[in-house]
Amino acid sequence: MTLTADFAAIPDSSHAAEIERLCDAMEAADKAGCYPRLTVERPWSAHNPVLEGEFAAPRAIRWYLERELGRLAASGARISVCAGREALDLHDPELGPTVDETRWDLRRKKLFLFAPERMALSIDRLRHYTGTEPEMFQRYVLLTNYAWYVEEFRAALPDCAGPDSGSRQMPAWHHALPGRTGLTMVNIGVGPSNAKTITDHLAVLRPDLVLMIGHCAGLRNRQEIGDLVLATAYMRDDRVLDDILPLSVPVVSNHTLNTLLLSELTGRGLRSRMGIVFTTANRNWELRLALVEDRLRVSRALAVDMESATVAANGFRYRIPTATLLAVSDKPLHARPKLSADAQGFYTASRRQHVDIAIAVAEKVRQLYPGGLPTADLRSPDEPLLGITGPEATAAPLSSSGRGTEGTQSPPLSTYNAPGGLRQDPGRAAEWLAGARIYGNGVVKCVCCCRRTGRAGTSDRWPDSRCGCGHSARGSGPDRS
């Protein structure tokens, strides 16, 4: 049975009720042991008029489904829900290929970013690591690496619900509000491996923000113990994502979130600095200083930690706004290492203030951006919703060195159809060649931005080149017209 709502013919006053019915139908299909299948017909789209995909555990992201479907409904979409494939048991040998992201296209529409098998696995992992149900997670998430921060979070928000036992690896506490507009804090422990693990799985819940709060080593002469560090960008020495996201890809904090954090710090009159945070996998990096000294100096980093860049890099991959606010706990390069007695005094003095800042900024985001923080900077210029690239415009993925890897090209977006994932009807596929002009001497320029995209070759190989706007232009030698 398929439930369909054509919002072009439904009064605005009835949209919310129809979306409720659609979400209820998705949950019913899930309870029946199937992956709910969602089909969105968008008559306004020339390139992608039909989007469809399957989900697991829709109740865990119901707030997100309601919001995204509401936006589509406001534009006049026609939305259908039916039962899809029978849900795969997580012990099934076929699970492995379905959750393998090696060739997964993370540029797809956020609503359909993950296959249902990946969603089901991550939701189970979150339950295992945090000791709480996925439905308890709120849309604003704080990550920390110290139990002291959790204590202050619970003191500030005493009605929090927590894990089912005290032995969970990454215990979570949730201050629930209607529409999942509350706040969640997860103690992820220390190190980039933990940071990657939790953000891999949190991503399927589509949080509106992830803010890392914790401690760092200060590197500047004028920094004092207790000063705050607001990361603008990151130097990645964590090693856990190098094969997935090349080091040549810049990773920065969300601008809007950083602006709100800076405003809060300024309003409180607190000492802080903005700049590069160096994230390492080696807790005792100062014992091997010669190996990192040049990078610390050249990058002009002002702090060292073990999680922030990992959280930000995974947030970039999964298009989740992230930011980092750290407190300087030690200065090993200035004869002020982290010693037990000194650390205890610092923790006592700073931790409540640090948590209060995070809570206050999350509240500002809730009030100012109920529809989510601006994330245009996390979208690819050739994201499918902006046009389908043909096989000739598909570039080889980058290796960790930033160079293309021969023989490992991604499948063209117009034909991509992973199990349970997004299938897009190309409709009128974008004609990139029509969007480029070949000038004298084989110079190729893009029509949309008029940038020179390189000099076309004279052979018959039709080399591709790409301009700054993301469009691909081709040339086959000098203009002979």
Side-chain angles (χ1 to χ4, degrees):
M1 176 181 175
T2 300
L3 176 65
T4 300
D6 187 352
F7 287 95
I10 296 174
D12 292 352
S13 58
S14 301
H15 281 192
E18 289 299 316
I19 290 170
E20 287 285 325
R21 291 178 62 231
L22 291 168
C23 290
D24 288 344
M26 294 182 72
E27 291 187 18
D30 180 62
K31 290 179 180 177
C34 297
Y35 294 131
R37 187 165 195 84
L38 180 68
T39 302
V40 179
E41 298 174 59
R42 309 183 310 154
W44 64 87
S45 175
H47 302 296
N48 304 292
V50 179
L51 309 175
E52 59 183 348
E54 294 177 328
F55 294 81
R59 185 165 175 263
I61 57 168
R62 176 147 182 164
W63 70 270
Y64 183 74
L65 290 169
E66 289 176 349
R67 185 174 78 184
E68 296 301 303
L69 295 182
R71 289 172 171 169
L72 291 164
S75 298
R78 187 173 187 268
I79 303 175
S80 302
V81 171
C82 66
R85 294 174 297 129
E86 182 179 349
L88 193 67
D89 188 277
L90 294 182
H91 295 97
D92 194 303
E94 294 297 320
L95 181 68
T98 66
V99 299
D100 183 359
E101 291 184 353
T102 305
R103 302 183 69 82
W104 203 246
D105 190 348
L106 293 174
R107 295 173 299 176
R108 68 176 69 205
K109 173 67 175 171
K110 290 188 297 181
L111 184 61
F112 298 95
L113 192 58
F114 298 100
E117 294 87 354
R118 168 72 154 82
M119 292 182 66
L121 180 64
S122 286
I123 284 172
D124 190 83
R125 292 271 179 90
L126 284 172
R127 189 180 290 117
H128 169 72
Y129 287 123
T130 69
T132 59
E133 291 299 314
E135 293 82 6
M136 298 172 67
F137 276 80
Q138 305 297 295
R139 65 175 72 175
Y140 309 113
V141 179
L142 307 180
L143 303 182
T144 186
N145 50 12
Y146 284 96
W148 293 292
Y149 282 110
V150 175
E151 292 174 6
E152 297 300 339
F153 181 80
R154 295 177 62 191
L157 303 170
D159 58 344
C160 290
D164 54 9
S165 72
S167 60
R168 295 297 181 173
Q169 183 177 347
M170 301 183 196
W173 293 84
H174 312 279
H175 174 62
L177 290 177
R180 307 273 184 92
T181 58
L183 201 56
T184 288
M185 176 175 274
V186 185
N187 179 8
I188 67 174
V190 176
S193 180
N194 281 2
K196 179 182 182 300
T197 296
I198 194 66
T199 49
D200 276 346
H201 302 312
L202 267 178
V204 305
L205 300 183
R206 309 311 303 159
D208 274 353
L209 71 83
V210 173
L211 174 59
M212 179 71 204
I213 61 173
H215 301 157
C216 65
L219 300 178
R220 300 300 178 87
N221 292 335
R222 295 189 180 182
Q223 282 177 312
E224 299 294 338
I225 303 299
D227 284 4
L228 294 168
V229 171
L230 184 57
T232 55
Y234 305 87
M235 187 72 175
R236 292 166 51 202
D237 191 45
D238 52 346
R239 313 292 176 88
V240 296
L241 285 167
D242 294 6
D243 294 335
I244 303 172
L245 188 69
L247 291 173
S248 58
V249 176
V251 176
V252 300
S253 296
N254 179 269
H255 173 74
T256 304
L257 189 50
N258 259 11
T259 300
L260 294 174
L261 284 163
L262 182 59
S263 175
E264 186 69 22
L265 297 177
T266 304
R268 292 172 179 253
L270 299 175
R271 286 175 54 93
S272 64
R273 296 189 71 158
M274 299 179 69
I276 307 296
V277 170
F278 184 96
T279 295
T280 179
N282 181 8
R283 172 59 189 86
N284 297 314
W285 58 271
E286 64 267 35
L287 304 184
R288 305 274 287 176
L289 184 59
L291 299 179
V292 297
E293 186 175 16
D294 286 344
R295 279 177 290 168
L296 291 175
R297 182 176 62 253
V298 172
S299 67
R300 300 173 185 171
L302 54 84
V304 178
D305 86 330
M306 296 188 67
E307 298 86 19
S308 297
T310 313
V311 171
N314 241 5
F316 177 84
R317 292 179 62 227
Y318 295 126
R319 300 192 343 236
I320 296 171
T322 64
T324 296
L325 182 64
L326 305 173
V328 176
S329 61
D330 58 296
K331 298 183 65 181
L333 303 188
H334 299 79
R336 300 185 71 178
K338 185 176 288 187
L339 303 177
S340 181
D342 296 340
Q344 297 307 314
F346 158 74
Y347 297 146
T348 301
S350 68
R351 64 195 192 191
R352 182 55 183 267
Q353 177 178 254
H354 205 163
V355 170
D356 285 344
I357 293 169
I359 293 174
V361 168
E363 178 60 31
K364 286 183 179 179
V365 173
R366 180 186 302 114
Q367 295 173 1
L368 297 174
Y369 301 98
L373 285 163
T375 58
D377 57 327
L378 296 179
R379 296 180 67 172
S380 170
D382 59 349
E383 188 172 332
L385 292 184
L386 305 181
I388 297 292
T389 57
E392 70 277 7
T394 302
L398 294 175
S399 66
S400 59
S401 64
R403 299 180 178 177
T405 304
E406 186 175 357
T408 59
Q409 292 189 335
S410 301
L413 297 181
S414 56
T415 59
Y416 192 92
N417 187 15
L422 170 63
R423 179 171 66 82
Q424 303 192 77
D425 183 351
R428 292 185 297 152
E431 295 289 342
W432 296 120
L433 186 56
R437 291 177 182 161
I438 304 174
Y439 290 78
N441 298 321
V443 172
V444 181
K445 290 187 179 181
C446 176
V447 169
C448 70
C449 70
C450 295
R451 296 182 184 177
R452 296 166 66 98
T453 61
R455 194 173 295 273
T458 57
S459 71
D460 294 329
R461 295 182 62 189
W462 289 83
D464 285 356
S465 51
R466 185 171 293 272
C467 82
C469 71
H471 288 160
S472 179
R474 301 190 311 179
S476 60
D479 183 8
R480 305 185 187 279
S481 61

